[in-house]
Amino acid sequence: MMKLYFSPGSCAFATHLALEEAGASYEAIKLNFKTGEHLTDEYLAINPKGRVPALITSHGVLTETPALLVYIAQVFPESGLIPQGNPFLLAKIQEFNSFLASTVHVAHAHKLRGHRWADEQSSFDDMKRKAPETMHACYKLIEEEMIDGPWVMGETYTICDAYLYTISRWLAGDGVAVSDFPKVENHMKLMAKRPAVQKILPLHP
């Protein structure tokens, strides 16, 4: 059985959702970041990055959301979470998820985790003020160029949808109105109806 380490409200929601969508047998283990459970020797032995998600598999530990999502989709091909035999479409999925990980998530992180890039309080304050603007710009690009609709890749639900929904849930807290983006707003409504989402939401308030 796989073990998923997560913290509520984090990007680990996407991996948790993919496991549920795939019908995987897994154990979800919650870490409390406020009390530093992610920095204990026990957890750092699993993931030296001290972050989530981390997934213990029969082959070893995996981290980083894009990697975990494609792993789950490949281990459970019957789930249909990625296309089979279509390298270009799979690359498009990886392109989208890489943008979420490398650009959108980083823009969000500037709001609360400025210490990763600077040392002065004035820098932290500036990054926090900038976050709504940069997140809005990211989602404007997603809205206009990246969502085919109703799902990210068009008519077929994929791992992109789990990841996009995860980050879209952060928009309100980042001072961005999802109503500015009709496609994204519709996507969130569709996602909220999925049984797998409804099942794990109580663990990710």
Side-chain angles (χ1 to χ4, degrees):
M1 176 186 292
M2 290 185 282
K3 291 184 179 181
L4 171 68
Y5 288 85
F6 76 97
S7 62
S10 73
C11 63
F13 183 93
T15 301
H16 199 169
L17 181 54
L19 287 167
E20 197 62 40
E21 294 274 15
S25 176
Y26 69 94
E27 177 186 0
I29 303 169
K30 182 172 69 174
L31 296 178
N32 188 331
F33 274 36
K34 291 182 179 179
T35 61
E37 288 183 345
H38 60 303
L39 300 177
T40 63
D41 290 342
E42 180 182 7
Y43 184 65
L44 290 175
I46 295 168
N47 182 7
K49 300 169 186 175
R51 300 185 187 179
V52 293
L55 185 68
I56 298 180
T57 77
S58 58
H59 302 287
V61 178
L62 288 172
T63 63
E64 304 300 334
T65 297
L68 294 177
L69 291 177
V70 77
Y71 172 79
I72 293 164
Q74 289 180 321
V75 169
F76 300 94
E78 67 282 358
S79 67
L81 292 174
I82 58 173
Q84 302 298 320
N86 190 331
F88 181 78
L89 186 53
L90 179 58
K92 292 297 291 183
I93 287 172
Q94 292 293 75
E95 177 184 50
F96 183 82
N97 285 349
S98 295
F99 175 72
L100 293 183
S102 66
T103 302
V104 187
H105 194 159
V106 173
H108 165 79
H110 275 71
K111 183 184 70 173
L112 296 175
R113 297 184 173 87
H115 61 273
R116 293 178 181 174
W117 301 282
D119 295 313
E120 302 296 333
Q121 184 61 47
S122 59
S123 298
F124 304 155
D125 295 340
D126 194 28
M127 282 187 271
K128 186 174 182 178
R129 284 191 297 268
K130 188 74 172 178
E133 178 185 336
T134 53
M135 286 296 286
H136 194 281
C138 287
Y139 266 81
K140 186 175 187 293
L141 185 61
I142 290 170
E143 175 80 12
E144 295 179 356
E145 303 293 341
M146 297 183 180
I147 297 183
D148 288 336
W151 306 113
V152 173
M153 292 293 145
E155 297 297 322
T156 303
Y157 179 92
T158 69
I159 53 176
C160 292
D161 298 294
Y163 202 3
L164 177 61
Y165 180 66
T166 297
I167 295 183
S168 296
R169 294 179 67 218
W170 301 343
L171 286 176
D174 288 342
V176 178
V178 71
S179 58
D180 288 350
F181 312 106
K183 289 181 182 178
V184 174
E185 186 174 35
N186 184 61
H187 183 265
M188 293 189 73
K189 291 177 180 178
L190 290 174
M191 289 296 298
K193 295 177 182 178
R194 295 185 72 85
V197 171
Q198 295 174 4
K199 182 176 179 179
I200 70 169
L201 266 178
L203 295 174
H204 296 266

